Amino acid sequence: MMQPCHLVTHDLACRRGDRLLFRGLNLEIAAGGACHIAGPNGIGKTSLLRLLGSLLSPFGGTVSRRGSIALLGEKSALDPQAPLGSALAFWSGLDGLPPIGREEQIETLGLSDLLDVPVRFLSTGQTKRAALARLLGQQADIWLLDEPLNGLDQDGVSMIEALIAGHCAAGGIAIAASHQAITLPARTNVDLTEYAR
Amino acid sequence: MIVRLLWRDLSLLLPGGRQGGTFLPLLFFLAVAMLFPFAVGPDAPLLARTGGGVIWVAALLASILPLDRLVGADLEQGVFDQLALRGIAEELALAVRMAAHWLSFAPLLLLAALPAAALLSLDGMIVRKLLLGLLAGTPGLAAIGVMIAALTAGLRGGAALSGLLLIPLAVPILIFGAGSLARPDFAGVALAGAISLFLVAVAPFAGGAAIRSARES
């Protein structure tokens, strides 16, 4: 994280199909900040994260950001047939970053014993941890976390909260969409129901 | 980066690869060459006249077999999303996928064309032209395959649809490739190669647009 990252949306609106999910969303998050996006199912939390990552184009308004971006979605993007170790190695190889502290990360996430296990045999929580390992390896400035607590046990929840706190303390941004309570440092709260049409 | 993408794609697609990549296209190809003489009878001149065309059709159909797992699985797994976040364009990913698809079926097919040609009692000149034609035509088949796989990824019944879609697109390659066998010169091979090159150039862009629109829907 060389330069301070930031993320700003202006008058953002999102349409899926013929439904306007939300509009008029203004958001400003500076380096070290965190944001919790709340709202009931189907309100557009995932769509908002994908808008912020430029995976969707906005129906109206703009997203501007500085800094690299990483997404932890409902899909792990790890090859189901491959052993966890090589599935993760593909992404870390693609990111091409020096593997500083990689083993500790794997250890912290409790994945050390699973590296030889094909991804499809992992449980929901283990897959989530594996996806987190992929996210950490990317060393991106801005984390977009879609329901990060899903499938995680109590241990996992406090672990991910600690990871987010560390990330923000190092000058990163974390944006989590979750209907569960999650402890985030220096957080902005966005309740999407306020922006729903 | 390209090497890593290619390496992953190959490890998924090559026979014996992780994504259930098998020798099925190859066996299918050989099976057609084996069954055809049984169906039309052991008339050597007839087999020699029609055999080249049969090999072309078998090659075309063999290239369709892996289509359903070529792009769809990665789209479902969110791999293209993750690549996009890293600034890797869908076009590049698909160009690499196309190369991997070609490598996974074409070289083996060219080898298998030799025993197939023997089964159909083709003579040396025809075999040479057949191999050159397949070498020129198969990149085009791989390009069409990737394009269609990207278009039908995420559709229900995409596999059946992709077979139907491929046929009209592949007809020009088939006409010139198989047609060259009946001519004394190599003009047909050259034209099949030209169509192939055009398709190879277009396919990554068409497929990339398809993947982006699948993401929006």
Side-chain angles (χ1 to χ4, degrees), chain B residues 85-166:
Chain B
L85 289 172
R86 286 163 173 78
I88 297 170
E90 290 79 12
E91 283 79 3
L92 177 66
L94 284 180
V96 171
R97 184 68 43 96
M98 182 168 68
H101 177 40
W102 185 81
L103 285 171
S104 73
F105 82 91
L108 284 170
L109 209 70
L110 287 175
L111 275 180
L114 292 175
L119 286 168
L120 297 165
S121 74
L122 303 181
D123 66 32
M125 182 60 198
I126 297 273
V127 172
R128 209 148 60 94
K129 209 179 265 181
L130 183 71
L131 288 180
L132 275 175
L134 285 175
L135 196 61
T138 43
L141 294 181
I144 297 172
V146 166
M147 194 154 58
I148 288 175
L151 277 170
T152 57
L155 293 184
R156 272 184 300 124
L161 193 60
S162 52
L164 277 178
L165 281 170
L166 183 128

Side-chain angles (χ1 to χ4, degrees), chain A residues 36-118:
Chain A
H36 181 228
I37 301 165
N41 297 145
I43 196 81
K45 297 191 292 291
T46 300
S47 297
L48 174 57
L49 286 184
R50 293 174 72 80
L51 276 172
L52 296 177
S54 303
L55 291 172
L56 288 178
S57 40
F59 177 62
T62 54
V63 176
S64 63
R65 57 164 199 264
R66 191 169 62 214
S68 54
I69 205 149
L71 172 72
L72 177 75
E74 51 164 342
K75 305 159 187 163
S76 67
L78 299 168
D79 298 327
Q81 314 297 328
L84 177 60
S86 60
L88 287 173
F90 165 70
W91 289 110
S92 52
L94 209 57
D95 294 326
L97 296 164
I100 308 165
R102 192 74 183 133
E103 276 176 29
E104 287 89 71
Q105 280 173 6
I106 301 277
E107 183 79 46
T108 320
L109 291 163
L111 295 170
S112 317
D113 297 336
L114 299 171
L115 291 178
D116 296 329
V117 179

Side-chain angles (χ1 to χ4, degrees), chain A residues 163-185:
Chain A
L163 284 171
I164 293 172
H167 175 66
C168 290
I173 289 177
I175 298 169
S178 175
H179 56 261
Q180 286 155 284
I182 176 168
T183 313
L184 300 173

